[in-house]
Amino acid sequence: LRLRPAMAVAMMETGDAEAGQAPADSPPAAWERVLFAGTFRRNLVADQVDEIAFERPVRVTHVRVVPLYVADSKVPQFSGFTSPGSFQLDVFGGQWHDAQESRFRRLCAALAYSAPVTDSFCVHTEPAVVDRLVIRGRYRTLSLVVVGVAADEAPVENCSVLWGKAAGGDAAQSLGASPSGAEEQEDSASEATRRRDDGDGQCDERRRLLYAKVQQLLSKVDVNATKASDPSHYESLRGEVLSIFPDATWSDRAQQEATAEDKKVDRAIDKVIACLEQGEAAPHGALRTAALASALACSFAAPAAKFAKKGGIDALWRLLRSQATGMEAKYWAVFSFLAAGCHSMGLACLSRHSHTITDERSIGKGAENLEQGLLSLCMQPAYADLAPMAANVMQRLQVYNAATALRDQAKDLAASPKKALSDEFLNRLGSLRDIFSQPMGASVAKSGLGIREDTFLGQDIRSLGLPSVDEVAARSLLEAGGMAALGAMLTAASKAGGSSDDARLSRKADFAVGIVSEMCGRIEQLQHLGLLPVEGREDAERLTCAMEEAALHKFGSDLSNLSKRWRLYVSSFCTLKK
């Protein structure tokens, strides 16, 4: 079904809405598929009415509201921006050109949306034949996925279990869903291990050659207005820069040694930042070349650290925030943040950024970090095209900050064990649990909005093979000692509650142990779970021992089963490595 953009209804003005078409390789007839995936945007929370128009009649079987920061489990390339956190939504349907059906009728009971949730908020609808949907509610932004079949296809049972199940195969793959079973986890772990351990000597040599190419490219970047305005120079540079990404692993990006070429790189970074700081005063060609070079600098740890120290991240933010700079330069600015989000040094640089809110129209005043700044920008219609990529950057920052926060929490507990059941500790633990409970996309989704990746990027962004949010979560936990931290928290909470006769303390201990268990269960679902016991075996052993010890302190069979699974992960994944 070819979709048209959502339009105004009943003479009410609407904001921008972006519609995504159903995939070309949809399941066979009579099986449910995505009919619409898009986001309606406004500047303020108010009573809104929006319409979705289909080119031919359909039967809508269910509607999914995608929460803020959450990727729909069935369409993971589509991330939600729904705001506020709770409101009532009404869904009506009808046939515009049928006089007898011109009155729209309610397709389901009023939907009481409430966040936070870890997947899309789903409601089943009456599978009536419609060519228009009218959505009514009090919201600011609404991310919606509409599922159903064409009206001339055989009706299906209105059951979400059927969605994505096609004869002879798993149609979830055609919807863009990523595998999440144990076999896929083992495959991804084996692949990561193979890429890392294809011979230490060969790996080191390949890494050295790759970084030498990065240095060479950075040192020859020319932001001179005359040369930068030459389209052939820009196209050549873009092709060479993007050719680096598919060959680079997380370790390649994170580990570089000092070389004689570093001084040339320093001078090139200085020129790039100087151009970025000119903002709209810089020629268009020079500014986009500087923003493109920033993506290269942010992609590897050594140049990223220098770039951030010299003020490059701040300069990119100001370029992105400026209303006068072009969309192409803004695109490369966000892409630079995404490139920095592919290794721990880049994430550390991004997490340290803060800027002052100076807009008089802003509700809040003072300083905000990059995650908050990107969120506020993406809520503006003018930045809607950059929202999917920005959301991916925010997810990376969230899981990185959560992993480092786990480490810091464990240090606080080691210094003061009495804090194990304090309200402050439990609140922080709950916040970290919520972050790890969010679905983590397997890759950066290709934008289905106004911007075309083949215009700015020159290819599908997924072909670059950037580390997924899932891998970033696993690597961040590994490097921050997240598993050992979870084990320390589990031990402290279970001992404090298990040795006390105070019913209140026992309930707090149950709560704390339950939160840590939930986080361990969420970590189990990572496709890159194998990295944790393979590269962090000692920490994984500590966590497993903490689970086994806590299971003895009256915390039930669930924790015992969890410890047995983790004991199995340690033995099986380490056997796979051998």
Side-chain angles (χ1 to χ4, degrees):
L1 295 174
R2 187 169 66 84
L3 304 179
R4 295 184 296 187
M7 300 179 294
V9 176
M11 302 302 290
M12 295 189 67
E13 182 179 356
T14 69
D16 296 337
E18 309 89 20
Q21 295 188 2
D25 54 348
S26 296
W31 295 101
E32 296 172 287
R33 67 198 70 175
V34 177
L35 304 177
F36 173 88
T39 298
F40 299 94
R41 298 174 184 274
R42 305 301 196 293
N43 292 324
L44 297 172
V45 175
D47 292 328
Q48 315 289 0
V49 178
D50 287 302
E51 180 187 25
I52 301 172
F54 302 102
E55 193 167 272
R56 58 192 178 101
V58 298
R59 284 191 182 92
V60 176
T61 56
H62 61 283
V63 174
R64 303 167 66 84
V65 179
V66 189
L68 183 67
Y69 287 169
V70 172
D72 186 273
S73 62
K74 298 294 186 180
V75 193
Q77 67 266 35
F78 180 67
S79 295
F81 282 91
T82 300
S83 173
S86 61
F87 54 87
Q88 181 172 301
L89 197 69
D90 297 303
V91 181
F92 302 88
Q95 297 187 59
W96 187 261
H97 299 294
D98 189 332
Q100 295 181 348
E101 295 290 338
S102 59
R103 183 174 180 179
F104 283 37
R105 59 177 176 172
R106 188 185 295 272
L107 296 184
C108 59
L111 187 158
Y113 171 76
S114 180
V117 291
T118 59
D119 194 5
S120 296
F121 197 95
C122 180
V123 61
H124 294 290
T125 62
E126 177 186 344
V129 176
V130 300
D131 60 15
R132 295 286 196 282
L133 286 184
V134 174
I135 312 298
R136 184 180 69 187
R138 186 174 181 81
Y139 51 85
R140 179 186 181 189
T141 54
L142 175 65
S143 296
L144 210 63
V145 174
V146 179
V147 180
V149 297
D152 55 4
E153 294 176 348
V156 298
E157 180 183 355
N158 189 2
C159 176
S160 60
V161 176
L162 293 178
W163 187 32
K165 299 288 186 180
D170 185 359
Q173 291 299 318
S174 69
L175 295 176
S178 55
S180 58
E183 294 180 359
E184 288 78 9
Q185 290 180 342
E186 292 181 6
D187 291 341
S188 64
S190 300
E191 174 63 15
T193 302
R194 184 192 63 77
R195 294 179 68 187
R196 187 186 65 254
D197 295 327
D198 54 355
D200 291 339
Q202 291 181 352
C203 186
D204 291 341
E205 178 64 15
R206 184 178 60 82
R207 181 178 298 142
R208 186 186 65 79
L209 293 174
L210 186 63
Y211 185 50
K213 184 177 179 181
V214 172
Q215 291 177 309
Q216 181 184 12
L217 286 175
L218 276 172
S219 61
K220 76 175 188 178
V221 168
D222 192 343
V223 293
N224 178 277
T226 303
K227 191 169 185 179
S229 61
D230 181 3
S232 61
H233 170 74
Y234 172 76
E235 293 296 331
S236 174
L237 178 64
R238 181 181 68 174
E240 290 183 63
V241 169
L242 295 180
S243 68
I244 294 288
F245 288 88
D247 296 329
T249 65
W250 177 280
S251 298
D252 295 331
R253 293 182 171 94
Q255 301 175 23
Q256 296 94 47
E257 296 181 359
T259 69
E261 297 294 316
D262 285 345
K263 290 185 178 179
K264 293 182 181 179
V265 171
D266 287 352
R267 289 194 293 270
I269 289 176
D270 288 337
K271 292 179 181 179
V272 167
I273 295 175
C275 183
L276 292 174
E277 289 179 339
Q278 294 181 46
E280 62 269 18
H284 168 72
L287 192 59
R288 72 173 182 176
T289 300
L292 173 60
S294 301
L296 182 62
C298 290
S299 301
F300 291 81
K306 295 175 182 177
F307 184 78
K309 186 176 181 180
K310 293 174 181 287
I313 301 297
D314 300 335
L316 285 174
W317 168 255
R318 289 192 292 271
L319 182 154
L320 182 62
R321 186 70 179 84
S322 172
Q323 299 293 333
T325 53
M327 184 57 72
E328 188 168 12
K330 287 183 170 68
Y331 179 88
W332 289 118
V334 180
F335 185 81
S336 298
F337 295 151
L338 181 62
C342 294
H343 55 89
S344 52
M345 175 58 73
L347 286 164
C349 293
L350 294 181
S351 66
R352 287 194 290 265
H353 167 83
S354 66
H355 55 268
T356 304
I357 306 172
T358 58
D359 189 350
E360 293 298 328
R361 295 170 296 178
S362 299
I363 297 176
K365 295 293 187 292
E368 64 180 5
N369 57 32
L370 183 62
E371 181 187 336
Q372 295 167 328
L374 287 174
L375 176 60
S376 62
L377 280 187
C378 291
M379 288 299 182
Q380 301 177 27
Y383 289 85
D385 291 337
L386 300 175
M389 194 187 305
N392 201 275
V393 175
M394 288 185 275
Q395 280 187 307
R396 291 162 189 265
L397 278 169
Q398 281 188 329
V399 296
Y400 171 80
N401 289 331
T404 55
L406 279 177
R407 178 192 60 203
D408 295 340
Q409 287 273 78
K411 288 182 179 179
D412 287 345
L413 273 185
S416 180
K418 293 182 179 180
K419 291 182 178 179
L421 299 181
S422 67
D423 292 340
E424 181 184 4
F425 171 77
L426 295 177
N427 289 334
R428 289 181 183 177
L429 203 57
S431 299
L432 295 176
R433 184 265 316 273
D434 292 341
I435 292 174
F436 283 105
S437 295
Q438 296 176 10
M440 300 176 190
S443 62
V444 185
K446 180 177 174 66
S447 171
L449 311 177
I451 279 187
R452 297 172 58 207
E453 257 74 27
D454 56 1
T455 299
F456 292 163
L457 198 62
Q459 56 188 289
D460 188 331
I461 193 171
R462 290 168 292 191
S463 67
L464 297 180
L466 301 178
S468 65
V469 177
D470 181 287
E471 182 176 356
V472 171
R475 294 284 185 183
S476 298
L477 285 168
L478 191 64
E479 295 179 9
M483 291 180 295
L486 285 171
M489 294 177 188
L490 191 60
T491 299
S494 62
K495 284 185 176 180
S499 60
S500 174
D501 295 329
D502 188 332
R504 180 171 169 272
L505 287 180
S506 295
R507 287 195 298 270
K508 281 190 170 185
D510 289 341
F511 180 69
V513 170
I515 289 180
V516 175
S517 299
E518 282 185 53
M519 293 172 71
C520 293
R522 177 62 190 94
I523 292 170
E524 283 184 286
Q525 298 173 30
L526 295 176
Q527 289 183 37
H528 292 79
L529 169 65
L531 291 171
L532 299 176
V534 170
E535 296 190 20
R537 179 166 186 171
E538 185 177 342
D539 286 352
E541 289 276 9
R542 289 179 183 175
L543 176 57
T544 305
C545 291
M547 291 177 183
E548 293 170 344
E549 182 181 355
L552 300 176
H553 286 82
K554 71 179 184 184
F555 291 103
S557 60
D558 289 343
L559 196 56
S560 176
N561 292 334
L562 184 64
S563 66
K564 291 176 182 177
R565 292 201 303 271
W566 274 85
R567 179 67 65 188
L568 181 62
Y569 296 146
V570 173
S571 60
S572 61
F573 281 120
C574 290
T575 301
L576 281 174
K577 180 185 177 183
K578 295 177 183 178

